[in-house]
Amino acid sequence: MDSIIVTGGTPLSGDIPIAGAKNACLALMPATLLSEEPLTLTNAPRLSDIATMSALLRSLGSEVSLLAGGKVIAMSSHQLTSTRADYEIVRKMRASNLVLGPLLAREHQATVSLPGGCAIGARPMDIHVSALEAMGAEIELKDGYLHAVARGGLKGARFAMKFPSVGATENALMAATLARGTTVMSNVAREPEIVDLAKCLRAMGARIEGEGTDTITIEGVDRLHGATHEVVADRIELGTYMLAPVIAGGEVECLGGRLDLVEAFAEKLHDAGVEIEQTNRGVKVRRANGRVHAVDVATAPYPGFPTDLQAQMMAMLCTAEGTSHLEETIFENRFMHAPELTRMGAKIEVHGGTASVTGVERLKGAPVMATDLRASVSLILAGLAAEGETRVNRVYHLDRGYEELEAKLGGAGAKIERIRD
């Protein structure tokens, strides 16, 4: 397995381009299943998860072509050949479950394996299932697969989600576009990726109102047509690279970044003493003189602090002045990076869903192991601040969510290289 070696102690300076959002693109790609006409996505990220979703869609009969070096995804689902999403593909990535809603809407049936992905808790499918059942689907779990049927097609319904799940909101939103009648979904997710999906679906002819709020109304239509859509900037990649100069020192401009996508995160950085500026090119970040200050963080659904930036934030707080407290409210088992950071000299105590981090003046380079996507990049960020060499093993997680990370950080002056085993 590949490893990444980071030699710390070098301040960063320069530009880091921000890619299209992985989480948005993985929801947009299954939208091709809703129409017989072509759907083209621009500003797509070049990641292994995109390749996995492409393989899944092809297994269903969709045509998928990656153009312009992978930054353009051209898809056509004019003739589907299967409604079964097999375990061998689905197990690699949790977002694979997003074919369930579109298949039910168009084909009135679907057989979808329970998904895999990062080991950060159970993340059950019950909210997805209850939303689709509210629209008339009959769903049975058997032999590790969800067997779903919508006899006569899905019907508009009114329902509230017990938790604002992003994936369940996306699945239900796509399903409702072809349901008969009007669907009103409340307590839904408000993330920018939801807004981006609604924008794409509307370009395909869907009738949607309320995205970005806790209630979305969808008036079902008979068919959707083709469209071309630009994927929104990746707010998690943006937040990650905003932290790089804070941890390593220096100044970086994140090209294409938008502060409105990361307001709660940026507010915490400001409280810690970080200088942040929205420019006409992106977001400029600079650490003021000296160490940053400790801050308390609690993850929450959007517009709160993103769970996908918690591990990276912990890496920054490892060298902050004072003691910080991080509360993880979204996923269990998402402090698995803490023991690895401790190997680098961090002072971290974990009690259930809360971690206390007492900053040290300097971390020490060490061999560490990535346990999931965001944990892997948090260890690389920590390596930027560490004395000596940090070797991050099992970085295959990293390639699921960050394109050309070594080139992007290296272009800003970081001493980083990949070792291929």
Side-chain angles (χ1 to χ4, degrees):
M1 296 182 188
D2 291 1
S3 301
I4 288 180
I5 294 179
V6 183
T7 303
T10 302
L12 304 185
S13 178
D15 299 334
I16 297 180
I18 303 302
K22 173 184 88 91
N23 289 340
C25 197
L26 291 176
L28 292 163
M29 291 176 70
T32 182
L33 300 172
L34 293 166
S35 175
E36 297 179 0
E37 297 183 16
L39 174 62
T40 300
L41 303 177
T42 63
N43 193 40
R46 294 168 290 182
L47 303 167
S48 61
D49 272 9
I50 301 302
T52 300
M53 182 61 80
S54 299
L56 176 58
L57 292 173
R58 291 188 185 110
S59 76
L60 301 174
S62 302
E63 297 175 3
V64 183
S65 299
L66 304 182
L67 310 174
K71 290 196 171 184
V72 174
I73 305 174
M75 298 171 289
S76 177
S77 300
H78 58 276
Q79 187 173 358
L80 297 180
T81 57
S82 174
T83 58
R84 180 183 175 89
D86 280 320
Y87 169 76
E88 283 306 312
I89 300 177
V90 176
R91 68 180 176 84
K92 299 176 182 177
M93 182 183 66
R94 180 159 189 85
S96 302
N97 61 28
L98 293 177
V99 302
L100 177 60
L103 286 174
L104 266 176
R106 177 174 167 179
E107 299 295 318
H108 304 170
Q109 62 179 340
T111 303
V112 178
S113 171
L114 292 179
C118 289
I120 53 174
R123 298 200 283 182
M125 289 285 293
D126 60 322
I127 304 178
H128 301 247
V129 169
S130 62
L132 295 170
E133 286 180 337
M135 287 185 270
E138 300 171 16
I139 303 177
E140 178 186 11
L141 174 61
K142 185 170 63 176
D143 301 326
Y145 282 78
L146 292 173
H147 298 258
V149 177
R151 304 181 195 282
L154 294 174
K155 305 175 183 63
R158 181 182 293 268
F159 57 88
M161 294 186 176
K162 70 176 185 180
F163 178 84
S165 161
V166 174
T169 300
E170 291 165 340
N171 241 333
L173 176 59
M174 286 188 281
T177 60
L178 296 181
R180 293 199 314 276
T182 300
T183 299
V184 181
M185 312 188 303
S186 58
N187 196 35
V188 297
R190 301 165 56 186
E191 272 76 356
E193 294 81 12
I194 302 293
V195 176
D196 201 43
L197 176 60
K199 182 179 179 182
C200 176
L201 293 170
R202 194 178 289 115
M204 296 172 68
R207 298 176 181 175
I208 303 169
E209 295 180 355
E211 71 276 8
T213 74
D214 65 0
T215 302
I216 301 177
T217 302
I218 308 101
E219 184 181 341
V221 296
D222 292 334
R223 62 183 296 275
L224 296 179
H225 52 70
T228 297
H229 175 78
E230 180 180 357
V231 181
V232 69
D234 194 321
R235 63 194 173 97
I236 305 303
E237 186 183 58
L238 171 61
T240 299
Y241 288 128
M242 286 173 67
L243 283 169
V246 181
I247 290 172
E251 178 178 297
V252 162
E253 188 158 9
C254 298
L255 303 182
R258 289 168 35 196
L259 276 179
D260 66 298
L261 298 176
V262 289
E263 286 183 351
F265 168 76
E267 183 179 331
K268 289 297 181 181
L269 289 192
H270 182 267
D271 291 346
V274 180
E275 296 180 7
I276 305 172
E277 176 189 359
Q278 179 76 61
T279 71
N280 58 5
R281 301 171 70 228
V283 175
K284 186 176 292 185
V285 182
R286 183 172 74 90
R287 188 181 77 192
N289 293 332
R291 296 161 65 188
V292 296
H293 315 304
V295 292
D296 292 341
V297 173
T299 62
Y302 190 86
F305 191 99
T307 180
D308 279 350
L309 286 173
Q310 175 262 112
Q312 301 92 306
M313 191 72 170
M314 181 182 285
M316 184 200 85
L317 295 174
C318 285
T319 57
E321 286 187 316
T323 298
S324 305
H325 301 92
L326 293 94
E327 182 182 2
E328 176 56 63
T329 67
I330 309 296
F331 296 131
E332 68 270 34
N333 301 338
R334 209 167 198 181
F335 285 137
M336 291 189 290
H337 46 282
E340 301 302 302
L341 289 169
T342 301
R343 288 174 53 82
M344 301 174 67
K347 293 183 179 179
I348 304 171
E349 294 182 4
V350 176
H351 302 284
T354 302
S356 297
V357 183
T358 301
V360 297
E361 286 200 17
R362 196 152 184 84
L363 297 172
K364 305 282 188 182
V368 291
M369 183 177 68
T371 53
D372 61 66
L373 170 56
R374 306 307 173 185
S376 61
V377 80
S378 75
L379 298 173
I380 289 170
L381 291 176
L384 297 175
E387 187 178 279
E389 184 177 283
T390 299
R391 183 180 182 121
V392 184
N393 298 305
R394 292 179 64 183
V395 295
Y396 62 87
H397 293 288
L398 192 76
D399 298 327
R400 292 184 46 233
Y402 293 92
E403 65 170 42
E404 301 177 344
L405 177 135
E406 306 97 279
K408 289 185 177 184
L409 285 175
K415 294 181 179 179
I416 180 171
E417 64 174 324
R418 179 179 291 244
I419 306 298
R420 300 192 182 276
D421 296 337

